[in-house]
Amino acid sequence: MLWRIFHRYASTTMTNRSKSFTYPQRINRSPTAILESLNTCVQTDGGNPSYLFMDDPFLIPTSAHEKRQLSLSKASGKKAARWIMDRYSYAFFYDVAVPSIPSYFPNYTFDEKEFIEPDETTLYKLMNWNKIIKAYEIYKKCLDYKINISDTCKYALFDLLCIYNSDNPMEILPPEEDWYRRELNETNQSGLVQRTWKDNGLAEQMFEELKLTATSEQKIRLYNSFASGLFKYNHAEKAMIIIDEMKQNNISIDLITYNYLLRSTSLIKETYDTRWQFMIEYLNEMKQNSIQPNLRTFNSIFYTLRRCSLYERGPILALSLLNEMRQCGIEPSLGTWAHIIMIFYPNDQIGYDTQILPQIMDELEKQYELNGKQFQWRDIDDREFFFNIMFKATVNCRDVDLAKRIHRFQMTGSNSRFIPDGFKEQMYYTNMFRLLFRFDIPEHVIPLWESVVPNIYSPSINIIEDFIEFISTWNIKDYYVRLWSDLILLGFIDNKQNNRRIIERYLALLINNDQENLSNEQIKQYANIARQILKRFPLTSDEDEQQIDDQQQQQQQQQKREVNEEQQQTKQLKQFQSKFQYSGQLLSNLIYLLTRADDFDASWSLYEYYFLNKNILINQLNEISLMSLLKLSINQNRIDYALNIVEKINEFNYECLSDALDLLNRHENLDHKDRQRLRTIQKNSSLESAHLVKLV
């Protein structure tokens, strides 16, 4: 029975099967297509640290200083590994990778014979390994030895000299170090354009040599490369001389040179109108020569308009350029929108009513969906978009909903990679949270804060102070204790430069809270925070520190008679090392929190520490802390301590002296000697309110 069913099924399938088979067309994909597909499935998660910082949970950095230290340490380790590979190159030629990865091998080591007997092959090797200056030396040696060098090799070397300004290219930084390149490498952070072209350099020398023998086709490449190099390194005057020479000799200008020319217009013309007319002339020239503009062409024009900061026609011209760009079938990049934003908002006071930012976000969200929910790097200016739009949304527009919309878009997919360095990321989040702290409500701000801090964003001390002020304004009691944990996690408590400033602000937050309505659990938690501060920064007077140092020196002399240089350096560092400096205000807050939890011993030790070191401490103990300590002393029947506190209140001439006298006067366990001492305090007081208290 089963055999019949199987035979019947097999016969029907064979008869219905098509006799021809069409193979699907091959889809050409990049080597990283699978990784790119997987990447689209992953969202930026603020709950986990960056892949760079993945480590043992105890070692994961949370503060900005720790992240920077770990990143630069990894970069230093990579450089050390590269040095080992180059130093002992013979040990690193076993290749197990398929396909082979050239960057994992030592750099090519040139043999001296290659320099003694140069040829074109050596030149190409040197150029491939970015030894441009050495390649030029070998080129000159080939000319001296009358060794034939092809024109292709000559012009390739000339192009590299123009691109790298007659020098070897800068070393590519590791990604970890590149993130901090603004503070590590950039010498010109003011944004001013500086001329960096090397006059009479190797590029100019080779240009004069090749110009004598170049054909008409070679002159096109020669002049365009030279002019592009001059524009790139901001020598616009000489570049325009080359452009005029090209026009006189009927040498055509290519698209790359036009792009550099349009981007350098602000260096050539001074007034805004003449800059625009200058660009129009060269755009018409491109049209006459049938040169089709590309994305870089339009971004160069937008960049020049952006540098015309107060040009009245700027926004109108920008919109007309945008329409022209679309008619040419060129899709705007993120860099295009970044320039348009700066054209509409040239400073902090202009552009509030334009409402261009929401329209840009609408356009980008549509473009993002049409592009398969991803953006590609299309122009070097794309890295400015998120920084610019968040800055203008928060400073100019002050639009909370728009700022959160921008942030959601930035966290979507891989869009966060368009924030190129640590400085721009810091400013991006700083501007966003400053706006939210001023105009938004805690139900919206706190979840957003927790989603990015500390794994994505490590706030600065100014933002932490704004956050403390935000919590104080909205009286978010449930976050008070957690805020202390955040301060420790972010490294502000261990930061010797700013820890006292942050601790004072935080304790003021706890003190200014509604103390009468606190639960016993909250009072204990606040007191535990005060004890943690004292544990981290023990109370030691100058005399105690001197005794401790003397004892340590005696022990060291007994153990070692000869002190080496390393110990001397350690001693010098200890002398210059800054210690935590308490103040009267800080001690007052600690005393108040501890007295609320009935911790008399700890409170009294702070009280004694102040009067032992009052000559070097800033501020006095305030009235609230003294009265709180006085009440605790009376409740625990410590009359001598209470009288001492009242004497100090009188010494400080505080208005609360009358309340202190009345409070202690109503105590039943005062003997005759104590009451006599109380009358003496009242008699010596200069306050009228103190004399109105009727003592028993």
Side-chain angles (χ1 to χ4, degrees):
M1 183 67 181
L2 292 175
W3 174 254
R4 290 181 179 177
I5 295 174
F6 174 76
H7 182 73
R8 183 180 301 173
Y9 174 77
S11 62
T12 54
T13 54
M14 291 298 292
T15 55
N16 295 331
R17 182 179 298 175
S18 176
K19 295 182 180 180
S20 62
F21 179 77
T22 303
Y23 290 94
Q25 293 183 355
R26 176 182 174 83
I27 300 176
N28 294 323
R29 303 184 187 276
S30 65
T32 58
I34 296 178
L35 293 177
E36 292 173 0
S37 300
L38 292 173
N39 185 49
T40 58
C41 303
V42 179
Q43 297 289 335
T44 303
D45 183 12
N48 293 318
S50 172
Y51 180 77
L52 172 65
F53 305 126
M54 286 292 185
D55 205 329
D56 185 277
F58 181 76
L59 301 176
I60 293 176
T62 53
S63 66
H65 173 72
E66 290 175 347
K67 290 179 180 178
R68 182 181 183 276
Q69 189 176 35
L70 179 58
S71 298
L72 297 182
S73 297
K74 287 194 172 185
S76 178
K78 289 183 177 181
K79 288 182 177 180
R82 170 57 61 183
W83 183 87
I84 293 291
M85 290 178 64
D86 294 338
R87 179 68 175 82
Y88 305 99
S89 57
Y90 57 85
F92 295 96
F93 279 103
Y94 180 64
D95 188 8
V96 295
V98 179
S100 180
I101 306 174
S103 60
Y104 285 177
F105 285 90
N107 291 326
Y108 181 80
T109 304
F110 290 90
D111 192 0
E112 293 183 1
K113 294 181 180 179
E114 296 181 88
F115 299 142
I116 296 174
E117 300 177 359
D119 56 4
E120 188 171 323
T121 304
T122 305
L123 269 176
Y124 276 118
K125 285 182 181 179
L126 287 167
M127 287 188 286
N128 289 333
W129 287 99
N130 293 329
K131 309 292 184 182
I132 310 301
I133 296 178
K134 191 66 178 177
Y136 183 78
E137 294 176 1
I138 297 299
Y139 165 73
K140 296 296 290 183
K141 189 176 290 187
C142 290
L143 294 181
D144 295 338
Y145 294 167
K146 297 182 179 181
I147 298 173
N148 186 29
I149 302 295
S150 65
D151 292 337
T152 304
C153 184
K154 290 180 183 179
Y155 284 91
L157 176 59
F158 177 71
D159 290 342
L160 292 175
L161 288 174
C162 294
I163 291 171
Y164 297 119
N165 195 13
S166 304
D167 201 353
N168 292 326
M170 294 181 61
E171 180 183 357
I172 298 177
L173 297 176
E176 300 86 358
E177 191 173 345
D178 185 65
W179 184 253
Y180 297 98
R181 64 181 175 273
R182 181 181 177 89
E183 55 183 293
L184 292 174
N185 294 324
E186 290 191 7
T187 56
N188 178 28
Q189 298 182 7
S190 61
L192 299 177
V193 177
Q194 297 180 352
R195 195 181 80 181
T196 55
W197 176 260
K198 293 182 179 179
D199 292 321
N200 299 321
L202 302 181
E204 293 190 12
Q205 296 176 22
M206 196 167 182
F207 174 75
E208 297 297 333
E209 294 174 6
L210 297 177
K211 186 170 65 171
L212 300 175
T213 59
T215 63
S216 58
E217 293 182 359
Q218 291 173 345
K219 283 185 178 180
I220 295 175
R221 178 176 180 180
L222 180 69
Y223 276 84
N224 280 288
S225 295
F226 190 54
S228 298
L230 290 168
F231 280 125
K232 180 179 180 181
Y233 295 99
N234 303 322
H235 198 341
E237 296 177 2
K238 191 164 188 175
M240 289 306 300
I241 294 174
I242 299 298
I243 294 295
D244 293 338
E245 186 176 342
M246 293 173 70
K247 291 181 178 179
Q248 293 174 4
N249 297 326
N250 294 324
I251 300 173
S252 60
I253 304 175
D254 62 12
L255 180 59
I256 297 176
T257 307
Y258 274 120
N259 291 346
Y260 275 114
L261 174 63
L262 294 172
R263 194 175 182 87
S264 304
T265 303
S266 57
L267 302 177
I268 302 169
K269 300 295 181 179
E270 294 184 359
T271 63
Y272 298 158
D273 288 324
T274 55
R275 290 177 185 177
W276 178 249
Q277 291 300 325
F278 180 83
M279 289 191 293
I280 290 295
E281 291 176 5
Y282 278 95
L283 289 173
N284 290 329
E285 185 178 308
M286 290 175 61
K287 185 177 181 180
Q288 293 174 3
N289 296 330
S290 301
I291 297 178
Q292 185 71 18
N294 59 6
L295 175 64
R296 189 62 179 167
T297 307
F298 284 98
N299 281 353
S300 299
I301 302 172
F302 282 117
Y303 173 81
T304 301
L305 282 178
R306 172 182 173 178
R307 294 187 65 83
C308 304
S309 55
L310 298 178
Y311 192 29
E312 294 180 355
R313 297 177 59 198
I316 299 174
L317 295 175
L319 294 178
S320 64
L321 272 173
L322 191 61
N323 292 330
E324 183 71 22
M325 190 176 185
R326 287 169 173 164
Q327 290 178 5
C328 293
I330 300 174
E331 183 181 353
S333 69
L334 292 177
T336 308
W337 296 115
H339 293 317
I340 292 175
I341 291 169
M342 300 306 293
I343 293 170
F344 276 83
Y345 300 89
N347 55 40
D348 297 347
Q349 289 78 34
I350 299 177
Y352 175 76
D353 297 328
T354 60
Q355 296 297 319
I356 191 68
L357 295 186
Q359 299 176 34
I360 291 176
M361 288 304 302
D362 292 338
E363 187 70 23
L364 280 175
E365 288 171 353
K366 294 178 183 177
Q367 186 177 339
Y368 183 76
E369 295 293 333
L370 294 174
N371 291 342
K373 296 186 176 181
Q374 63 178 350
F375 277 121
Q376 299 293 336
W377 275 95
R378 301 174 56 208
D379 192 83
I380 191 173
D381 297 333
D382 291 353
R383 60 185 180 179
E384 299 183 15
F385 172 74
F386 282 106
F387 172 76
N388 288 354
I389 192 171
M390 180 58 75
F391 178 73
K392 294 305 178 182
T394 54
V395 176
N396 290 66
C397 299
R398 298 183 182 181
D399 190 333
V400 173
D401 294 332
L402 178 60
K404 291 191 287 189
R405 181 184 179 186
I406 294 169
H407 181 66
R408 284 194 301 270
F409 186 66
Q410 187 263 135
M411 296 292 286
T412 303
S414 302
N415 292 342
S416 58
R417 63 197 172 102
F418 290 101
I419 298 181
D421 56 61
F423 174 78
K424 281 186 169 59
E425 182 187 64
Q426 189 76 12
M427 294 305 300
Y428 171 89
Y429 285 105
T430 296
N431 292 326
M432 181 180 71
F433 280 116
R434 276 182 175 165
L435 177 72
L436 298 181
F437 291 157
R438 292 182 62 185
F439 300 109
D440 209 354
I441 60 177
E443 288 77 5
H444 298 159
V445 176
I446 297 298
L448 183 58
W449 174 270
E450 293 176 346
S451 67
V452 298
V453 177
N455 292 323
I456 296 178
Y457 169 58
S458 296
S460 64
I461 184 172
N462 295 325
I463 293 301
I464 282 294
E465 289 181 334
D466 292 342
F467 187 48
I468 294 174
E469 184 67 25
F470 173 76
I471 292 176
S472 176
T473 302
W474 288 90
N475 195 19
I476 313 173
K477 298 180 181 179
D478 297 337
Y479 209 88
Y480 284 3
V481 178
R482 181 174 177 180
L483 179 59
W484 173 253
S485 301
D486 291 345
L487 294 177
I488 296 175
L489 187 67
L490 295 170
F492 289 104
I493 304 302
D494 295 327
N495 187 348
K496 294 182 180 180
Q497 295 181 348
N498 302 314
N499 52 8
R500 193 184 77 177
R501 173 178 163 187
I502 288 294
I503 291 174
E504 287 181 348
R505 290 291 300 270
Y506 178 71
L507 292 180
L509 173 68
L510 300 182
I511 299 299
N512 295 332
N513 189 17
D514 187 8
Q515 295 291 330
E516 301 300 328
N517 297 326
L518 291 179
S519 63
N520 293 330
E521 183 65 25
Q522 288 176 319
I523 292 174
K524 291 180 181 179
Q525 289 175 341
Y526 295 171
N528 287 333
I529 292 173
R531 296 187 188 100
Q532 289 182 29
I533 294 173
L534 294 173
K535 186 177 180 180
R536 284 177 174 269
F537 311 105
L539 296 173
T540 53
S541 61
D542 292 341
E543 296 179 356
D544 295 337
E545 287 186 354
Q546 187 64 35
Q547 292 177 0
I548 293 173
D549 291 339
D550 293 340
Q551 291 177 1
Q552 291 179 352
Q553 290 178 1
Q554 292 176 1
Q555 291 177 0
Q556 290 177 358
Q557 290 176 358
Q558 292 176 0
Q559 294 175 358
K560 296 182 179 180
R561 296 179 180 180
E562 297 180 357
V563 181
N564 55 24
E565 295 181 358
E566 184 176 354
Q567 290 175 332
Q568 291 179 356
Q569 291 177 358
T570 304
K571 184 178 179 181
Q572 291 176 358
L573 288 174
K574 185 177 179 182
Q575 291 176 355
F576 290 104
Q577 187 177 10
S578 60
K579 64 177 182 178
F580 185 81
Q581 183 67 40
Y582 281 93
S583 64
Q585 182 64 35
L586 182 55
L587 291 172
S588 298
N589 294 336
L590 293 173
I591 289 172
Y592 183 78
L593 294 176
L594 291 170
T595 53
R596 289 281 293 169
D598 297 335
D599 191 346
F600 179 81
D601 294 334
S603 304
W604 187 257
S605 65
L606 294 173
Y607 177 83
E608 288 183 325
Y609 174 81
Y610 171 78
F611 287 103
L612 288 174
N613 301 274
K614 65 179 182 179
N615 294 330
I616 61 173
L617 295 179
I618 305 173
N619 307 128
Q620 297 177 347
L621 294 179
N622 57 33
E623 302 178 36
I624 299 175
S625 61
L626 291 175
M627 287 298 296
S628 180
L629 184 58
L630 175 63
K631 293 177 183 178
L632 181 60
S633 303
I634 295 174
N635 292 337
Q636 296 188 2
N637 200 25
R638 300 173 185 263
I639 304 303
D640 290 337
Y641 295 95
L643 288 170
N644 183 280
I645 296 170
V646 175
E647 288 176 350
K648 297 303 179 183
I649 293 175
N650 182 36
E651 182 180 332
F652 291 148
N653 205 25
Y654 283 153
E655 290 291 339
C656 65
L657 178 60
S658 58
D659 297 332
L661 291 172
D662 182 63
L663 185 65
L664 188 56
N665 180 54
R666 290 186 276 106
H667 196 269
E668 299 177 353
N669 296 333
L670 289 178
D671 55 19
H672 178 73
K673 185 178 179 180
D674 296 333
R675 294 190 180 279
Q676 185 63 34
R677 187 177 172 185
L678 202 61
R679 294 190 187 93
T680 304
I681 296 172
Q682 184 184 39
K683 181 179 179 181
N684 295 332
S685 175
S686 60
L687 297 173
E688 295 182 2
S689 59
H691 293 281
L692 299 177
V693 178
K694 295 181 180 180
L695 301 179
V696 178

